Amino acid sequence: MHKDDTPVTARPAGDGPLTGLPQEVDEAWVSVRPDNGNVKRALLLSSPVVVLGAARVGLMMAQGRGTSEGSGSRGLVIGLLAVLFPFVWIGLLGALRWANAGIVLDEGVLTVRNRFNRRVLRAPVSALTGLHQVDLPIQGPHSTRIVITAHQARPVMIDPRTWDARGLAQLWHQLPVPLHDSGFLEWREVKQRFPKLRRPWHHVHYGLFVLLGTVGTLAYIALVVNLPFLL
């Protein structure tokens, strides 16, 4: 990979060099933070409708509806929580990812952690075998992913949209393997090329995922609408 003048975060002083690694790689220290911008924007855009819906359902459950006499303050609280719960859940998952997930290059070792602080990749840069940019059959305009491969390690798929763009650029600049454009791959081709890669179930089985999501959403809406009669 060609070197340029891209700034790189300096590794904290006091760490000694690692033997067997190029000096420039050993001295590099890059930390890539998650980017939850897409989730934040979606929550902010939907918040007025969600707040109004929560207030309506809460008041309906507090005051009663039809033959239901209402449940007072208890019904108000339950109604608010019933509508807000999915959005609070999404917000909590985003916060969990921000707190735990990360990609770090330190002392010549690349480490990737997910939202549950689970280490999904830890490999010395000398063991890396490739950075593969692939276009996948994913619904929507953002179908590009980066697959990181290494000797004796399970491949990891990175969604560039969900990570800090500047940090990723610094990371690709420092790794000793080039970013290779593998073009468009069907999921079966992805499995053939990266047999141990964990493929996102909701993308691989998109039709079934939409069906289950639709049924679950309708069932949840029906539950919320009929809560005044159930209390």
Side-chain angles (χ1 to χ4, degrees):
M1 181 175 293
H2 297 292
K3 302 298 179 181
D4 51 29
D5 295 328
T6 305
V8 177
T9 307
R11 192 177 69 187
D15 293 339
L18 296 180
T19 58
L21 291 173
Q23 185 70 18
E24 61 179 16
V25 173
D26 176 60
E27 291 178 351
W29 185 87
V30 182
S31 177
V32 185
R33 298 293 301 152
D35 183 354
N36 292 332
N38 293 327
V39 175
K40 291 179 182 178
R41 283 190 291 272
L43 291 177
L44 289 175
L45 288 174
S46 62
S47 59
V49 176
V50 173
V51 171
L52 290 176
R56 179 179 176 82
V57 173
L59 291 174
M60 185 187 304
M61 295 183 64
Q63 299 172 358
R65 175 189 175 190
T67 58
S68 174
E69 297 181 356
S71 304
S73 58
R74 181 168 67 100
L76 175 63
V77 172
I78 293 176
L80 291 175
L81 292 178
V83 176
L84 295 176
F85 173 76
F87 300 91
V88 173
W89 178 255
I90 293 173
L92 288 176
L93 288 179
L96 192 65
R97 185 173 185 273
W98 175 258
N100 293 326
I103 307 174
V104 177
L105 173 62
D106 187 21
E107 294 187 336
V109 176
L110 181 65
T111 304
V112 181
R113 293 184 180 274
N114 63 13
R115 72 173 75 245
F116 303 109
N117 201 30
R118 180 174 175 273
R119 191 171 61 197
V120 295
L121 175 67
R122 179 176 175 81
V125 294
S126 58
L128 297 180
T129 57
L131 301 174
H132 310 271
Q133 178 175 303
V134 297
D135 291 323
L136 301 172
I138 296 175
Q139 300 295 324
H142 306 287
S143 60
T144 299
R145 300 293 187 269
I146 306 297
V147 179
I148 304 176
T149 56
H151 289 299
Q152 298 182 341
R154 183 187 293 272
V156 172
M157 181 179 292
I158 302 295
D159 183 354
R161 292 184 310 138
T162 61
W163 298 94
D164 175 63
R166 180 178 174 84
L168 278 182
Q170 294 178 353
L171 179 65
W172 305 149
H173 169 77
Q174 285 300 310
L175 295 180
V177 289
L179 184 61
H180 173 69
D181 188 355
S182 298
F184 179 82
L185 296 178
E186 294 285 354
W187 284 115
R188 64 177 181 277
E189 296 175 306
V190 172
K191 184 177 182 179
Q192 293 172 356
R193 185 168 298 188
F194 312 108
K196 295 183 179 180
L197 177 67
R198 289 191 175 97
R199 299 169 298 160
W201 183 90
H202 61 287
H203 287 317
V204 178
H205 306 282
Y206 183 74
L208 181 59
F209 171 74
V210 171
L211 176 62
L212 294 176
T214 301
V215 172
T217 301
L218 292 176
Y220 188 80
I221 292 174
L223 174 64
V224 172
V225 170
N226 288 282
L227 272 178
F229 301 102
L230 301 177
L231 293 178

